[in-house]
């Protein structure tokens, strides 16, 4: 391996991330009702291996074992998400006590081990009952989200150390409602814009609701992808700017008080007079998820319904997902956020970063994943450079603790520091787990 990693500041948080639908299983236990992902995964042709999250990592029953794995890793924080359809099964009305009780047990067992609970309120598993009323296309869902946030904070507000309202609203909008490759599977292209606005409105209302019930910091997590211009014409540059506005600015500008960037083809009538003030409720943290840059040029088809075309970037090594590996992209996006938003930018937490490879258990029962170690090593060096360049970053969370249900890819993409055998539920820490443990322990 290369030179030791540079020192990170004292107090920097090392963590790992997961999400409810991807690990919990137990989808019909203790009063949980279906989410849009339960419905979507039952629709033929939606998930490559035809799988569902019905069992996933069985974390709902095995959380104690998983908390022990977290303790063995020595992480200071664990980011998990709360399943709305467990806590408020139909998306309205009182809390389901059994649903809240699960997160109560999880939070207490984390605190017992000295691990800070970091809770995401929405990681894409909307109650199906709300989808039946229009999902995030319906303005009412924003108010429902704030009510649900209050129910959760009423129970956990004294113990969760960092709150994240939404996870990657861009991905949920574009994959779920624009292209239909994620739940709820709607294909509305730019007619999906209300999904952006209602998620942001829900975020703003939830920030205010949470403030009343917790003294812990509150933020939102966005996915960022530096745009790599592929082409040299004015049309290519315009396409790159349009994509950048959609992916990188649509969910950041309004939250930081700048209003909406111009997005071609969207209907501004969705936005009511006071909405932008609600959305700009002050936050204490910006969650940044980074996986890869995106190649963009002008559409080659003049009839394209999109104002850009995405181009695979072949000058980078790729993960088993085909995602380009570019640590410099992390430095670029962080310094770019710092430059663009200046004093309006709250402290950043890298709430996800990681990679999938075809990790297997060898004849000795070990799972060696040198590519993941190299990936994390490279990205942490890039992060350190960004911090040295003045960006205020408070923590880094590896995606993910466990191999898990990777949405439309089912169980075919392994992102974990811990290998999971989905037939036996046996957990095997990979080489990267030991590497991260040593790094956290100051031995790297
Ligand atoms: C992110 C998601 C997370 C996981 C990783 C690989 O976009 O937030 O749930 O799927 O990608």
């Amino acid at each position: 391996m290369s030179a030791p990693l540079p020192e990170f500041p004292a107090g920097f948080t090392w963590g790992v991330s997961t999400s409810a639908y991807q690990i919990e299983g137990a989808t019909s236990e203790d009063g949980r009702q279906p989410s849009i992902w339960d419905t979507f995964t039952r629709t033929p042709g939606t998930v490559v291996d035809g799988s569902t999250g019905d069992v996933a990592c069985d974390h709902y029953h095995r959380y104690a074992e998983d908390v022990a794995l977290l303790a063995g890793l020595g992480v200071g924080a664990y980011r998990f998400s709360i399943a709305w359809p467990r806590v408020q099964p139909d998306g309205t009305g009182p809390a389901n006590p059994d649903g809240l009780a699960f997160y109560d047990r999880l939070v207490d067992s984390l605190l017992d081990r000295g691990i800070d609970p970091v809770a995401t309120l929405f990681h894409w598993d909307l109650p199906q009952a709300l989808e039946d009323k229009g999902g995030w296309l319906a303005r009412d869902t924003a108010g429902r989200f704030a009510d649900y946030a209050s129910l959760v904070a009423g129970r956990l507000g004294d113990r969760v150390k960092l709150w994240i309202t939404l996870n990657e609203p861009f991905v949920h909008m574009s994959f779920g409602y624009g292209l239909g490759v994620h739940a709820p599977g709607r294909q509305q292209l730019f007619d999906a814009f209300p999904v952006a606005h209602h998620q942001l409105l829900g975020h703003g209302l939830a920030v205010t609701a949470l403030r009343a019930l917790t003294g812990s910091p509150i933020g939102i997590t966005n996915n960022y992808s530096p745009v790599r211009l592929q082409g040299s014409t004015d049309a290519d540059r315009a396409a790159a700017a349009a994509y950048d506005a959609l992916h990188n600015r649509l969910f950041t500008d309004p939250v930081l008080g700048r209003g909406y960037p111009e997005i071609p083809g969207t209907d501004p009538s969705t936005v009511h007079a006071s909405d932008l003030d609600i959305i700009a409720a002050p936050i204490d943290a910006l969650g940044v998820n980074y996986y890869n840059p995106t190649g963009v040029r002008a559409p080659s088809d003049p009839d394209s319904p999109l104002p850009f075309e995405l181009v695979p970037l072949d000058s980078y090594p790729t993960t088993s997902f085909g995602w380009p590996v570019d640590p410099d992209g992390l430095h670029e996006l962080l310094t770019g956020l710092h430059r663009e938003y200046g004093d309006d930018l709250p402290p950043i937490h890298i709430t996800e970063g990681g990679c999938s490879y075809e990790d297997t258990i060898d004849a000795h029962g070990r799972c060696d994943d040198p590519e993941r170690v190299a990936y994390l090593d490279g990205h942490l060096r890039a992060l350190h450079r960004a911090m040295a360049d003045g960006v205020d970053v408070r923590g880094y969370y590896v995606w993910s603790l466990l191999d898990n249900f990777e949405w439309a890819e089912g169980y075919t993409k392994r992102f974990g520091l811990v290998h999971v055998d989905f037939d036996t539920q046996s957990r095997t820490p990979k080489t990267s787990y030991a590497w991260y443990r040593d790094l956290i322990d100051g031995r790297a």
Side-chain angles (χ1 to χ4, degrees):
M1 183 75 338
S2 44
L5 280 172
E7 285 282 313
F8 281 75
F12 188 83
T13 299
W14 299 103
V16 289
S17 277
T18 62
S19 91
Y21 188 74
Q22 294 180 274
I23 65 166
E24 285 180 358
T27 49
S28 51
E29 278 180 50
D30 296 335
R32 183 188 180 281
Q33 289 292 321
S35 77
I36 54 173
W37 273 95
D38 296 282
T39 308
F40 187 73
T41 54
R42 278 172 174 66
T43 311
T46 53
V47 178
V48 289
D49 57 1
S51 64
T52 71
D54 285 2
V55 177
C57 304
D58 197 28
H59 171 78
Y60 190 75
H61 300 117
R62 293 169 196 258
Y63 76 92
E65 181 184 354
D66 295 337
V67 171
L69 285 165
L70 290 165
L73 202 47
V75 285
Y78 171 52
R79 173 177 177 248
F80 58 97
S81 82
I82 293 175
W84 189 347
R86 249 185 231 299
V87 168
Q88 201 186 28
D90 294 326
T92 55
N96 167 30
D98 290 347
L100 273 180
F102 170 68
Y103 298 105
D104 204 57
R105 292 194 293 277
L106 175 64
V107 161
D108 281 347
S109 60
L110 291 167
L111 291 171
D112 282 349
R113 303 284 201 140
I115 301 167
D116 283 355
V118 175
T120 303
L121 288 168
F122 182 69
H123 201 124
W124 307 347
D125 46 355
L126 191 78
Q128 179 62 39
L130 290 185
E131 177 61 23
D132 295 341
K133 296 178 191 157
W136 287 107
L137 287 161
R139 188 177 170 90
D140 188 54
T141 299
R144 301 282 65 74
F145 180 63
D147 289 351
Y148 151 69
S150 293
L151 293 179
V152 177
R155 181 72 174 261
L156 306 178
D158 54 338
R159 285 162 290 155
V160 165
K161 303 293 184 205
L162 171 62
W163 294 91
I164 300 293
T165 54
L166 307 174
N167 178 70
E168 298 189 354
F170 167 72
V171 177
H172 188 53
M173 173 193 72
S174 56
F175 283 20
Y177 291 78
L179 302 171
V181 295
H182 277 185
R186 301 193 192 222
Q187 300 178 339
Q188 302 191 188
L189 297 177
F190 280 94
D191 289 340
F193 175 72
V195 173
H197 184 63
H198 298 146
Q199 285 186 97
L200 284 165
L201 189 60
H203 156 80
L205 292 168
V207 169
T208 304
L210 290 169
R211 285 275 179 237
L213 294 162
T214 180
S216 296
I218 305 168
I220 183 172
T221 281
N222 284 321
N223 180 293
Y224 293 95
S225 183
V227 171
R228 301 271 184 260
L229 177 63
Q230 305 293 295
S232 52
T233 65
D234 286 348
D236 292 323
R237 277 186 285 278
Y243 187 78
D244 186 53
L246 196 61
H247 193 135
N248 296 313
R249 293 178 44 212
L250 177 58
F251 293 93
T252 311
D253 284 9
V255 168
L256 299 183
R258 306 245 171 133
Y260 280 111
E262 196 177 321
I263 306 284
T266 57
D267 174 5
S269 68
T270 311
V271 183
H272 299 190
S274 58
D275 290 358
L276 287 172
D277 289 341
I278 296 170
I279 292 170
I283 53 171
D284 318 294
L286 178 66
V288 166
N289 291 356
Y290 170 68
Y291 288 93
N292 52 265
T294 305
V296 183
R297 69 177 170 216
S300 35
D301 174 0
D303 296 327
S304 166
L306 297 175
F308 46 74
E309 183 173 302
L310 304 188
V311 188
L313 295 168
D314 7 283
S315 54
Y316 300 95
T318 52
T319 68
S320 74
F321 219 132
W323 292 354
V325 177
D326 178 23
D328 289 342
L330 179 59
H331 176 269
E332 178 184 333
L333 89 82
L334 291 173
T335 51
L337 286 169
H338 183 56
R339 207 171 34 246
E340 174 73 24
Y341 299 104
D343 291 344
D344 294 336
L345 189 67
I348 289 175
H349 301 247
I350 310 295
T351 38
E352 290 179 27
C355 50
S356 69
Y357 288 105
E358 279 167 21
D359 308 316
T360 50
I361 305 276
D362 69 17
H364 308 287
R366 287 192 292 256
C367 184
D368 193 23
D369 58 343
E371 302 98 333
R372 181 166 294 100
V373 171
Y375 182 100
L376 294 173
D377 179 277
H379 284 73
L380 290 176
R381 285 172 201 279
L383 168 61
H384 192 274
R385 275 194 291 124
M387 292 169 71
D389 290 341
V391 189
D392 181 2
V393 183
R394 303 292 174 89
Y396 185 87
Y397 297 70
V398 176
W399 182 270
S400 183
L401 173 66
L402 304 167
D403 293 340
N404 59 44
F405 176 79
E406 178 47 39
W407 309 116
E409 303 297 318
Y411 296 98
T412 68
K413 298 289 182 281
R414 294 180 176 274
F415 278 89
L417 297 174
V418 176
H419 180 280
V420 177
D421 178 325
F422 293 105
D423 293 328
T424 63
Q425 291 297 338
S426 155
R427 273 93 161 125
T428 307
K430 304 178 191 177
T431 305
S432 56
Y433 175 96
W435 177 86
Y436 197 44
R437 179 195 64 209
D438 290 350
L439 169 100
I440 294 168
D441 198 34
R443 284 183 273 140

